[in-house]
Amino acid sequence: MSVDSVAIRAVELGEVAQPLRSRAAADHQLVVDHIDRCGEPSAQRLFTRAFVAQVQRLADRGHLTERFALPGAAT
């Protein structure tokens, strides 16, 4: 894989990831569902480790309705 194709894939992932991150900030169940489907490491790469950890803490306490923003996400 060339450097150019890696750069293009990174841009494409960013274009897909940003809307998902924004939606996940409003609906934490998206993170929980992603973990169930693809595993925690994938969720950490997509949403950031800190965000996944925060969602998991809220899920453990039964507070998935609380809202908080990802760094750099539109609120």
Side-chain angles (χ1 to χ4, degrees), residues 6-54:
V6 170
I8 290 168
R9 287 184 58 129
V11 169
E12 289 171 349
L13 177 60
E15 290 171 355
V16 171
Q18 189 56 47
L20 282 173
R21 289 173 177 164
S22 295
R23 286 180 40 215
D27 182 3
H28 302 145
Q29 190 62 43
L30 290 172
V31 177
V32 174
D33 292 344
H34 187 87
I35 292 169
D36 289 344
R37 279 192 320 273
C38 303
E40 188 173 335
S42 175
Q44 290 173 340
R45 285 189 300 272
L46 180 59
F47 299 111
T48 76
R49 287 182 185 202
F51 186 70
V52 170
Q54 195 169 15

Side-chain angles (χ1 to χ4, degrees), residues 54-74:
Q54 195 169 15
V55 168
Q56 288 177 322
R57 281 192 302 273
L58 291 172
D60 288 343
R61 289 189 248 149
H63 296 292
L64 281 182
T65 58
E66 286 186 27
R67 293 186 181 203
F68 52 93
L70 285 166

